[in-house]
Amino acid sequence: MKIVHKDFVPGGPGKVKMVPADSDDLWYVYNLIAPGDSVIAVTVRKVLREGASGGRDAERVKLKLEIKVEEVADYDKVGNVLRIRGKNILENEHVKIGAYHTLELEPHRPFVLKKDVWDSLALHELNQACDPAASADLAVVIMQEGLAHILLVGRSMTITRSRIETSIPRKHGPSVAGYEKALSKFFENVLQAFLKNVDFSVVRCAVIASPGFTKDQFHRHLLLEAERKQLRPIIENKSRILLVHTTSGYKHSLREVLDAPNVMNMIKDTKAAQEVRALQDFFSMLSNVRSHIVHAMDQSMLRLLMNKWPCKPF
């Protein structure tokens, strides 16, 4: 999140102009905006104009509106848009004061948020939005040959800090020399992204996860380069770097990482771990409820069949 301008008193009124960079930032905005706030943004609205013939033509006009928020209507992560609904409070030739309008907030489009009270909760969300890495509990490198994702797992969300993709030639045959060179370059790129995005003064531990032996090869490369270049953050925290087996190098394998006992033991008293356990308990309860419903339906169907076709005595 880019903060363009701040003008507020903690515990008092004020405004912030900001520009969301991606869908993760929109999630922070979703949690930051509340009913009663005011939002100023450029929007598009269909207006009716009188044509030369006396009829009315519809035209889409770009204009700036300020709405008093009544509802944070919808956060669409797939469409990368946050919709907020309320009444217009800014004089405009096309939209009357008091008319309802739905603003759509999108990445890379600036807006201004006004609050009557910037309380501690709002300030916390704003600080989180500015630097989500500052509250991360766990850093995860999920990889396979030629593909790696660096994720930070925090208290309220998981963010992707880097995606590294490199073409790796086949391991066998005449291209084996090119394979070793490409793999080494890939590992070096992942190492640089790791150094840039993983702060051991913030995270409890870092996990390297992959199918097969890719994680072991990269871990070896990481430690060797740390000794050669005297990378103190890695040398001093190598005991906090864990290896976990996953079925792929894609982001959905994060669930396998969070299911690993050695990882959960390292972050057991963090907010992220508590949320993972709560989610696991929820799915377990849902599974139990489903089995009870199925059992009850089976019993009901059995009674229905027995009543409809009663067995005659021999």
Side-chain angles (χ1 to χ4, degrees):
M1 180 83 74
K2 180 183 179 182
I3 303 299
V4 179
H5 177 70
K6 290 191 293 186
D7 181 18
F8 63 81
V9 178
K15 61 185 179 180
V16 177
K17 184 175 183 179
M18 59 189 90
V19 184
D22 51 31
S23 60
D24 291 338
D25 285 346
L26 286 179
W27 173 251
Y28 283 113
V29 174
Y30 173 80
N31 289 296
L32 187 59
I33 297 177
D37 295 344
S38 297
V39 176
I40 304 174
V42 174
T43 185
V44 175
R45 187 175 173 105
K46 186 167 69 173
V47 297
L48 296 176
R49 295 183 184 274
E50 286 197 11
S53 61
R56 289 193 169 187
D57 299 324
E59 182 183 350
R60 295 178 68 82
V61 178
K62 183 182 287 188
L63 41 85
K64 180 185 286 187
L65 293 182
E66 179 177 355
I67 69 166
K68 193 78 169 178
V69 179
E70 293 189 3
E71 179 188 12
V72 184
D74 178 36
Y75 167 61
D76 183 357
K77 183 175 176 64
V78 176
N80 259 8
V81 63
L82 172 64
R83 299 179 181 89
I84 52 175
R85 187 170 182 270
K87 291 180 180 179
N88 177 45
I89 58 174
L90 186 66
E91 189 74 38
N92 191 287
E93 64 172 308
H94 299 296
V95 184
K96 295 178 181 179
I97 290 180
Y100 278 98
H101 185 79
T102 299
L103 284 178
E104 293 190 345
L105 305 181
E106 298 174 327
H108 312 298
R109 288 177 53 184
F111 69 94
V112 176
L113 173 62
K114 294 182 178 179
K115 284 181 174 288
D116 292 331
V117 179
W118 282 89
D119 56 20
S120 58
L121 184 61
L123 293 175
H124 173 73
E125 287 292 339
L126 185 63
N127 292 332
Q128 285 267 95
C130 295
D131 186 13
S135 63
D137 296 318
L138 175 67
V140 182
V141 182
I142 301 180
M143 63 193 312
Q144 60 189 40
E145 285 190 359
L147 177 67
H149 297 89
I150 296 183
L151 312 175
L152 295 180
V153 181
R155 297 168 187 168
S156 57
M157 68 188 301
T158 298
I159 57 175
T160 303
R161 297 300 286 185
S162 184
R163 174 189 168 96
I164 303 96
E165 195 165 6
T166 304
S167 178
I168 307 288
R170 287 186 153 190
K171 188 175 182 179
H172 306 289
S175 60
V176 65
Y179 166 83
E180 295 292 344
K181 184 178 179 180
L183 189 63
S184 178
K185 183 180 179 182
F186 169 63
F187 283 162
E188 184 59 28
N189 291 339
V190 178
L191 170 59
Q192 293 306 316
F194 184 92
L195 292 171
K196 180 181 178 181
N197 294 292
V198 178
D199 184 353
F200 280 102
S201 66
V202 176
V203 299
R204 293 294 183 90
C205 67
V207 176
I208 303 171
S210 80
F213 297 102
T214 307
K215 61 184 180 300
D216 305 275
Q217 291 173 294
F218 175 67
H219 184 239
R220 221 167 19 246
H221 177 87
L222 184 76
L223 297 183
L224 287 173
E225 288 298 296
E227 290 293 340
R228 188 173 70 85
K229 298 178 180 178
Q230 285 300 293
L231 304 174
R232 304 310 303 174
I234 295 177
I235 294 172
E236 293 169 2
N237 295 283
K238 58 185 179 182
S239 62
R240 294 163 62 190
I241 301 175
L242 309 178
L243 303 184
V244 172
H245 174 79
T246 55
T247 53
S248 83
Y250 290 91
K251 289 190 284 187
H252 66 260
S253 295
L254 178 63
R255 182 168 182 176
E256 298 172 63
V257 173
L258 296 177
D259 284 339
N262 57 338
V263 175
M264 291 304 293
N265 188 52
M266 287 285 282
I267 62 168
K268 60 185 177 183
D269 57 341
T270 64
K271 183 71 173 177
Q274 293 168 12
E275 292 181 358
V276 169
R277 285 195 294 270
L279 190 62
Q280 290 173 340
D281 291 343
F282 171 74
F283 282 123
S284 176
M285 180 183 69
L286 195 63
S287 178
N288 291 334
V289 168
R290 188 185 295 117
S291 64
H292 288 315
I293 291 173
V294 171
H295 178 71
M297 289 178 66
D298 288 345
Q299 293 296 316
S300 299
M301 289 299 294
L302 181 61
R303 285 195 294 271
L304 181 64
L305 291 172
M306 290 179 68
N307 290 334
K308 193 169 184 179
W309 293 292
C311 296
K312 295 181 180 180
F314 289 103

